[in-house]
Amino acid sequence: MNPRTPLTPLDDMVKEHEPPKPTQSLYSRLVESRLSTLYMLMNLASSISIVLLNKWVYHHFLFNYGTVLTFLHFFTTWLGLLVSSWLFGLFEIKKLPVLEVAPLALLFCGFVVLTNLSLQYNSVGFYQLAKVMTTPVIICIQAIFFQTRYSLNVILSLGLVVCGVILASVSDVQLNLTGSLFAASGVLVTSCYQIFVGRKQKSLNVNSMQLLVYQAPVAALMLLFIAPIFDDCLPSSPTSFWYFDYTPSSVFVIVATSVIALSVNLSIFLVIGNTSAVSYNVLGHFKLCFILCADFILFAHPLDLRNLAGILIALIGIFYYTYLKLQKE
């Protein structure tokens, strides 16, 4: 007997926002198809750009203030969401109790800060592979704490992911203790956030944008107190971000990452609302493969056969897991 593969919080959000398929005219279907393509291209470009530009900020400009950068992203996202709602009517802002959102904002704050620090201290390839571990960790949490059962095929597919990530990690020449700790902590906090955000959306009866417009400013406020723990923020320190050598090019790229962070959030919402679960997952896998390739090309990360084998095994595992999940839907 094969139990139904349970859906992750992201899967629930995809299903909830999938549009109905009424009978439409040829013109309407054509317009909808072009809009869906535009939204997917927007998500593809912004998701890839945010990773590569963030790494460029750390690697090229030596702006080693990941938490400060995250604060700028949160603040820009909040302003952008307000404009999207008030001027363009993309979504309706619902009144929510801030205390209900605060615990979620803390997790949101934690997972973005830790993943940015993981990117700062690790290679792009290791950073991206570590994020792949989120799905197995979510399933472990759900199995242990929520008594959720999974089929043998699902367990085997995620076993491939884990083995591939381990093989790729041990052969990564840039592997270091600090980066590994940030990556592991980021995966754990991200997994908890994804489980919690799905439940919170249902309990508050809101969509992702309606929740994010509250999360972003609360998380930004929290970062004012968290930033000094991870970044040099003291005005009296000569290495503080206050005394960073802000050139026109570095300021442009830093501002660009903030705008792209907003674009990532908006495009996820638009893609989920206008395409199918299959399209969204295929898009996600393409982004993963592209970013892994970009690490070798743009950042001169040395190619090792064990590293390559680990990446391929992890990709096979995540593709197989997606296939199983979509078959059950």
Coordinates of all heavy atoms in Angstrom, one line a residue, residues 45-106:
A45 N 15.0 35.3 -14.3 CA 16.0 36.3 -14.3 C 16.3 36.9 -12.9 O 17.5 37.0 -12.5 CB 15.6 37.5 -15.2
S46 N 15.3 37.2 -12.1 CA 15.5 37.8 -10.8 C 16.1 36.8 -9.8 O 17.0 37.1 -9.0 CB 14.2 38.3 -10.2 OG 13.2 37.4 -10.2
S47 N 15.6 35.5 -9.8 CA 16.1 34.5 -8.9 C 17.6 34.2 -9.1 O 18.3 34.0 -8.2 CB 15.3 33.2 -9.0 OG 13.9 33.4 -8.7
I48 N 18.0 34.1 -10.4 CA 19.4 33.8 -10.7 C 20.2 35.1 -10.4 O 21.3 35.0 -9.8 CB 19.5 33.4 -12.2 CG1 18.9 32.0 -12.4 CG2 21.0 33.4 -12.6 CD1 18.8 31.6 -13.9
S49 N 19.7 36.2 -10.8 CA 20.5 37.5 -10.6 C 20.7 37.8 -9.1 O 21.8 38.2 -8.7 CB 19.7 38.7 -11.2 OG 19.6 38.5 -12.6
I50 N 19.7 37.5 -8.2 CA 19.9 37.8 -6.8 C 21.1 37.0 -6.2 O 21.8 37.6 -5.4 CB 18.6 37.6 -6.0 CG1 18.7 38.3 -4.6 CG2 18.2 36.2 -5.9 CD1 18.8 39.7 -4.6
V51 N 21.2 35.8 -6.6 CA 22.3 34.9 -6.1 C 23.6 35.4 -6.6 O 24.6 35.6 -5.8 CB 22.0 33.4 -6.4 CG1 23.2 32.6 -6.0 CG2 20.8 32.9 -5.8
L52 N 23.7 35.6 -7.9 CA 25.0 36.0 -8.5 C 25.4 37.4 -8.1 O 26.6 37.6 -7.8 CB 24.9 35.8 -10.0 CG 24.6 34.4 -10.5 CD1 24.5 34.4 -12.1 CD2 25.5 33.4 -10.0
L53 N 24.5 38.3 -8.0 CA 24.8 39.7 -7.6 C 25.2 39.8 -6.2 O 26.1 40.5 -5.8 CB 23.7 40.7 -7.9 CG 23.6 41.2 -9.4 CD1 22.4 42.1 -9.5 CD2 24.9 41.9 -9.8
N54 N 24.5 39.1 -5.3 CA 24.8 39.0 -3.9 C 26.3 38.5 -3.7 O 27.1 39.1 -3.0 CB 23.9 38.2 -3.1 CG 22.6 38.9 -2.7 OD1 22.5 40.1 -3.0 ND2 21.7 38.2 -2.2
K55 N 26.6 37.4 -4.4 CA 27.9 36.9 -4.4 C 28.9 37.9 -4.9 O 30.0 38.0 -4.4 CB 28.0 35.5 -5.1 CG 29.3 34.8 -5.0 CD 29.5 34.4 -3.5 CE 30.8 33.6 -3.3 NZ 31.0 33.2 -1.9
W56 N 28.6 38.6 -6.0 CA 29.5 39.6 -6.6 C 29.7 40.7 -5.6 O 30.9 41.2 -5.5 CB 28.8 40.1 -7.8 CG 29.8 41.0 -8.7 CD1 29.7 42.3 -8.8 CD2 30.8 40.5 -9.5 NE1 30.7 42.8 -9.6 CE2 31.4 41.7 -10.1 CE3 31.4 39.3 -9.8 CZ2 32.5 41.6 -10.9 CZ3 32.4 39.2 -10.6 CH2 33.0 40.3 -11.2
V57 N 28.7 41.1 -4.8 CA 28.9 42.2 -3.8 C 29.9 41.7 -2.7 O 30.8 42.5 -2.3 CB 27.5 42.5 -3.1 CG1 27.7 43.3 -1.9 CG2 26.6 43.2 -4.1
Y58 N 29.8 40.4 -2.3 CA 30.7 39.9 -1.3 C 32.1 39.7 -1.9 O 33.1 40.0 -1.3 CB 30.2 38.6 -0.7 CG 28.8 38.6 -0.1 CD1 27.9 37.7 -0.3 CD2 28.5 39.7 0.8 CE1 26.6 37.7 0.3 CE2 27.2 39.8 1.4 CZ 26.3 38.8 1.1 OH 25.1 38.8 1.7
H59 N 32.1 39.1 -3.1 CA 33.4 38.6 -3.7 C 34.2 39.7 -4.3 O 35.4 39.8 -4.2 CB 33.0 37.5 -4.7 CG 34.2 36.9 -5.4 ND1 35.0 35.9 -4.8 CD2 34.7 37.1 -6.6 CE1 36.0 35.6 -5.6 NE2 35.8 36.3 -6.7
H60 N 33.5 40.6 -5.1 CA 34.2 41.6 -5.9 C 34.4 42.9 -5.1 O 35.5 43.5 -5.0 CB 33.5 41.9 -7.2 CG 34.1 42.9 -8.0 ND1 35.2 42.6 -8.8 CD2 33.8 44.2 -8.3 CE1 35.6 43.7 -9.5 NE2 34.7 44.7 -9.2
F61 N 33.3 43.4 -4.5 CA 33.3 44.7 -3.8 C 33.8 44.5 -2.3 O 34.0 45.5 -1.6 CB 32.0 45.4 -3.8 CG 31.6 45.8 -5.2 CD1 30.5 45.2 -5.9 CD2 32.3 46.8 -5.9 CE1 30.2 45.6 -7.2 CE2 31.9 47.2 -7.1 CZ 30.9 46.6 -7.8
L62 N 33.8 43.3 -1.8 CA 34.2 43.0 -0.4 C 33.3 43.7 0.6 O 33.7 44.1 1.7 CB 35.7 43.4 -0.2 CG 36.7 42.7 -1.1 CD1 38.1 43.2 -0.8 CD2 36.7 41.2 -1.0
F63 N 32.0 43.7 0.2 CA 31.0 44.3 1.1 C 30.5 43.1 2.0 O 29.5 42.5 1.8 CB 29.8 44.9 0.3 CG 28.8 45.6 1.2 CD1 29.0 46.9 1.6 CD2 27.6 44.9 1.6 CE1 28.0 47.6 2.3 CE2 26.7 45.6 2.3 CZ 26.9 46.9 2.7
N64 N 31.3 42.8 3.1 CA 31.0 41.7 3.9 C 30.1 42.0 5.1 O 30.4 41.7 6.2 CB 32.4 41.1 4.4 CG 33.3 40.7 3.3 OD1 32.8 40.0 2.4 ND2 34.6 41.0 3.3
Y65 N 29.0 42.5 4.7 CA 28.0 42.9 5.7 C 26.6 42.3 5.3 O 25.7 43.0 4.8 CB 27.9 44.4 5.8 CG 29.2 45.1 6.0 CD1 29.8 45.7 5.0 CD2 29.8 45.1 7.3 CE1 31.1 46.4 5.1 CE2 31.1 45.7 7.4 CZ 31.7 46.3 6.4 OH 32.9 46.9 6.5
G66 N 26.5 41.0 5.4 CA 25.4 40.2 4.9 C 24.1 40.6 5.6 O 23.0 40.7 4.9
T67 N 24.1 40.9 6.9 CA 22.9 41.3 7.6 C 22.4 42.7 7.2 O 21.2 42.9 7.1 CB 23.1 41.2 9.1 OG1 23.9 40.0 9.4 CG2 21.8 41.2 9.9
V68 N 23.3 43.6 7.0 CA 23.0 44.9 6.5 C 22.3 44.8 5.1 O 21.3 45.5 4.9 CB 24.2 45.9 6.5 CG1 23.9 47.2 5.8 CG2 24.8 46.1 7.9
L69 N 22.9 44.0 4.3 CA 22.3 43.8 2.9 C 20.9 43.2 3.0 O 20.0 43.7 2.3 CB 23.2 42.9 2.1 CG 22.9 42.8 0.6 CD1 23.2 44.1 -0.1 CD2 23.8 41.7 0.0
T70 N 20.7 42.3 3.9 CA 19.4 41.7 4.1 C 18.4 42.8 4.6 O 17.2 42.8 4.2 CB 19.4 40.6 5.2 OG1 20.4 39.6 4.8 CG2 18.1 39.9 5.3
F71 N 18.8 43.7 5.5 CA 17.9 44.8 6.0 C 17.5 45.6 4.8 O 16.3 46.0 4.7 CB 18.7 45.6 7.0 CG 17.9 46.9 7.3 CD1 16.9 46.9 8.3 CD2 18.2 48.1 6.7 CE1 16.2 48.1 8.6 CE2 17.5 49.3 7.0 CZ 16.5 49.2 7.9
L72 N 18.4 46.0 3.9 CA 18.1 46.8 2.7 C 17.0 46.0 1.8 O 16.1 46.6 1.3 CB 19.3 47.1 1.9 CG 20.3 48.0 2.6 CD1 21.6 48.1 1.7 CD2 19.8 49.4 2.8
H73 N 17.2 44.7 1.7 CA 16.3 43.9 0.9 C 14.9 43.9 1.5 O 13.9 44.0 0.8 CB 16.8 42.4 0.8 CG 18.1 42.3 0.0 ND1 18.7 41.1 -0.2 CD2 18.8 43.2 -0.7 CE1 19.8 41.3 -1.0 NE2 19.8 42.6 -1.3
F74 N 14.8 43.7 2.8 CA 13.5 43.7 3.5 C 12.8 45.0 3.3 O 11.6 45.1 3.1 CB 13.7 43.4 5.0 CG 14.0 41.9 5.3 CD1 14.4 41.5 6.5 CD2 13.9 40.9 4.3 CE1 14.6 40.2 6.8 CE2 14.2 39.6 4.6 CZ 14.5 39.2 5.8
F75 N 13.6 46.1 3.6 CA 13.0 47.5 3.5 C 12.5 47.8 2.1 O 11.4 48.3 1.9 CB 14.0 48.5 4.0 CG 13.4 49.9 4.1 CD1 12.6 50.2 5.2 CD2 13.7 50.9 3.2 CE1 12.1 51.5 5.3 CE2 13.2 52.1 3.3 CZ 12.4 52.5 4.4
T76 N 13.3 47.4 1.1 CA 12.9 47.7 -0.3 C 11.7 46.8 -0.7 O 10.8 47.3 -1.4 CB 14.0 47.4 -1.3 OG1 15.2 48.1 -0.9 CG2 13.7 47.7 -2.7
T77 N 11.6 45.6 -0.2 CA 10.5 44.7 -0.5 C 9.2 45.3 0.1 O 8.2 45.3 -0.5 CB 10.8 43.3 0.1 OG1 11.9 42.7 -0.6 CG2 9.6 42.4 -0.1
W78 N 9.3 45.8 1.3 CA 8.1 46.3 2.0 C 7.6 47.5 1.2 O 6.4 47.6 0.9 CB 8.5 46.7 3.4 CG 7.4 47.4 4.1 CD1 6.1 46.9 4.3 CD2 7.4 48.7 4.8 NE1 5.4 47.9 5.1 CE2 6.1 48.9 5.3 CE3 8.4 49.7 4.9 CZ2 5.8 50.1 6.0 CZ3 8.1 50.8 5.6 CH2 6.9 51.0 6.2
L79 N 8.5 48.5 0.8 CA 8.1 49.6 0.1 C 7.5 49.2 -1.3 O 6.4 49.7 -1.7 CB 9.2 50.6 -0.2 CG 9.8 51.3 1.0 CD1 11.0 52.2 0.6 CD2 8.7 52.1 1.7
G80 N 8.1 48.2 -1.9 CA 7.6 47.8 -3.2 C 6.3 47.1 -3.1 O 5.4 47.3 -4.0
L81 N 6.0 46.4 -2.1 CA 4.7 45.7 -1.9 C 3.6 46.8 -1.6 O 2.5 46.6 -2.1 CB 4.8 44.8 -0.7 CG 5.6 43.5 -0.9 CD1 5.7 42.7 0.4 CD2 5.0 42.6 -2.0
L82 N 3.9 47.8 -0.9 CA 3.0 48.9 -0.7 C 2.6 49.5 -2.0 O 1.4 49.8 -2.2 CB 3.5 49.9 0.3 CG 3.7 49.5 1.8 CD1 4.3 50.6 2.6 CD2 2.4 49.0 2.4
V83 N 3.6 49.8 -2.8 CA 3.3 50.4 -4.1 C 2.5 49.5 -5.0 O 1.5 49.9 -5.7 CB 4.6 50.8 -4.8 CG1 4.4 51.2 -6.3 CG2 5.4 51.9 -4.1
S84 N 2.8 48.2 -5.0 CA 2.1 47.2 -5.8 C 0.7 47.1 -5.4 O -0.2 46.9 -6.2 CB 2.8 45.8 -5.6 OG 4.1 45.9 -6.0
S85 N 0.4 47.3 -4.1 CA -1.0 47.2 -3.6 C -1.8 48.5 -3.9 O -2.9 48.4 -4.4 CB -1.0 46.8 -2.1 OG -2.3 46.8 -1.6
W86 N -1.2 49.6 -3.5 CA -1.9 50.9 -3.5 C -2.0 51.4 -5.0 O -3.1 51.9 -5.3 CB -1.2 51.9 -2.7 CG -1.2 51.6 -1.2 CD1 -2.1 50.8 -0.6 CD2 -0.4 52.2 -0.2 NE1 -1.8 50.7 0.8 CE2 -0.8 51.6 1.1 CE3 0.7 53.0 -0.2 CZ2 -0.2 51.9 2.3 CZ3 1.3 53.4 1.0 CH2 0.9 52.8 2.2
L87 N -1.0 51.3 -5.8 CA -1.0 51.9 -7.1 C -1.5 50.9 -8.2 O -2.2 51.3 -9.1 CB 0.4 52.5 -7.5 CG 0.9 53.7 -6.7 CD1 2.2 54.2 -7.2 CD2 -0.1 54.8 -6.6
F88 N -1.1 49.7 -8.1 CA -1.4 48.7 -9.1 C -2.5 47.7 -8.8 O -2.9 46.9 -9.6 CB -0.1 48.0 -9.6 CG 1.0 48.9 -10.0 CD1 2.1 49.2 -9.3 CD2 0.9 49.5 -11.3 CE1 3.1 50.1 -9.7 CE2 1.9 50.4 -11.8 CZ 3.0 50.7 -11.0
G89 N -2.9 47.7 -7.5 CA -3.9 46.8 -7.1 C -3.6 45.3 -7.2 O -4.5 44.5 -7.5
L90 N -2.3 45.0 -7.1 CA -1.9 43.6 -7.3 C -2.5 42.7 -6.2 O -2.8 41.5 -6.5 CB -0.3 43.5 -7.3 CG 0.3 42.2 -7.6 CD1 -0.1 41.8 -9.1 CD2 1.8 42.2 -7.5
F91 N -2.6 43.2 -5.0 CA -3.3 42.4 -3.9 C -3.8 43.4 -2.9 O -3.5 44.6 -2.9 CB -2.3 41.5 -3.3 CG -1.2 42.2 -2.5 CD1 -1.3 42.4 -1.1 CD2 0.0 42.7 -3.1 CE1 -0.3 43.1 -0.4 CE2 1.0 43.4 -2.4 CZ 0.8 43.5 -1.1
E92 N -4.8 42.9 -2.1 CA -5.4 43.8 -1.1 C -4.7 43.6 0.2 O -4.5 42.4 0.7 CB -6.9 43.4 -1.0 CG -7.6 44.2 0.0 CD -9.1 43.7 0.2 OE1 -9.5 42.9 -0.5 OE2 -9.7 44.3 1.1
I93 N -4.3 44.6 0.9 CA -3.7 44.5 2.2 C -4.8 44.3 3.3 O -5.8 45.0 3.4 CB -2.9 45.8 2.6 CG1 -1.8 46.0 1.6 CG2 -2.4 45.7 4.0 CD1 -1.0 47.3 1.8
K94 N -4.6 43.2 4.0 CA -5.6 42.8 5.1 C -5.0 43.2 6.4 O -3.8 43.1 6.6 CB -5.9 41.3 5.0 CG -6.6 40.9 3.8 CD -7.0 39.4 3.9 CE -7.9 39.1 5.0 NZ -8.4 37.7 5.0
K95 N -5.8 43.7 7.3 CA -5.3 44.0 8.6 C -5.1 42.8 9.4 O -5.9 41.9 9.6 CB -6.4 44.9 9.3 CG -5.9 45.5 10.6 CD -6.9 46.5 11.2 CE -6.4 47.1 12.5 NZ -7.4 48.0 13.1
L96 N -3.8 42.7 9.9 CA -3.4 41.5 10.7 C -2.8 41.9 12.0 O -2.1 43.0 12.1 CB -2.3 40.7 9.9 CG -2.7 40.1 8.5 CD1 -1.5 39.4 7.9 CD2 -3.9 39.2 8.7
P97 N -3.0 41.1 13.1 CA -2.3 41.5 14.3 C -0.8 41.3 14.3 O -0.4 40.2 13.9 CB -3.0 40.5 15.3 CG -3.5 39.4 14.5 CD -3.9 40.0 13.1
V98 N -0.1 42.3 14.6 CA 1.4 42.2 14.5 C 2.0 41.1 15.3 O 2.9 40.4 14.9 CB 2.0 43.6 14.8 CG1 3.5 43.5 14.8 CG2 1.5 44.7 13.9
L99 N 1.4 40.9 16.5 CA 1.9 39.9 17.4 C 1.8 38.5 16.8 O 2.6 37.6 17.1 CB 1.2 39.9 18.8 CG 1.6 41.1 19.7 CD1 0.8 41.1 21.0 CD2 3.1 41.2 19.9
E100 N 0.8 38.3 15.9 CA 0.6 37.0 15.3 C 1.7 36.8 14.2 O 2.1 35.7 13.9 CB -0.8 37.0 14.6 CG -2.0 36.7 15.5 CD -2.1 35.3 15.9 OE1 -1.7 34.4 15.1 OE2 -2.6 35.0 17.0
V101 N 2.1 37.9 13.6 CA 3.1 37.8 12.5 C 4.5 37.8 13.1 O 5.5 37.3 12.4 CB 2.9 39.0 11.6 CG1 3.9 39.0 10.4 CG2 1.5 39.0 11.0
A102 N 4.8 38.3 14.3 CA 6.1 38.5 14.8 C 6.9 37.2 14.9 O 8.1 37.2 14.4 CB 6.1 39.1 16.2
P103 N 6.4 36.1 15.4 CA 7.2 34.8 15.4 C 7.6 34.4 14.0 O 8.7 33.9 13.8 CB 6.3 33.8 16.1 CG 5.3 34.6 16.8 CD 5.1 35.9 16.1
L104 N 6.7 34.5 13.1 CA 7.0 34.2 11.7 C 8.0 35.1 11.1 O 8.9 34.7 10.4 CB 5.7 34.3 10.8 CG 5.8 33.8 9.4 CD1 6.1 32.3 9.4 CD2 4.5 34.0 8.7
A105 N 8.0 36.4 11.4 CA 8.9 37.4 10.9 C 10.3 37.1 11.5 O 11.3 37.3 10.8 CB 8.5 38.8 11.4
L106 N 10.4 36.6 12.7 CA 11.7 36.2 13.3 C 12.3 35.0 12.6 O 13.5 35.0 12.3 CB 11.5 35.8 14.8 CG 12.8 35.5 15.6 CD1 13.7 36.7 15.6 CD2 12.4 35.1 17.0

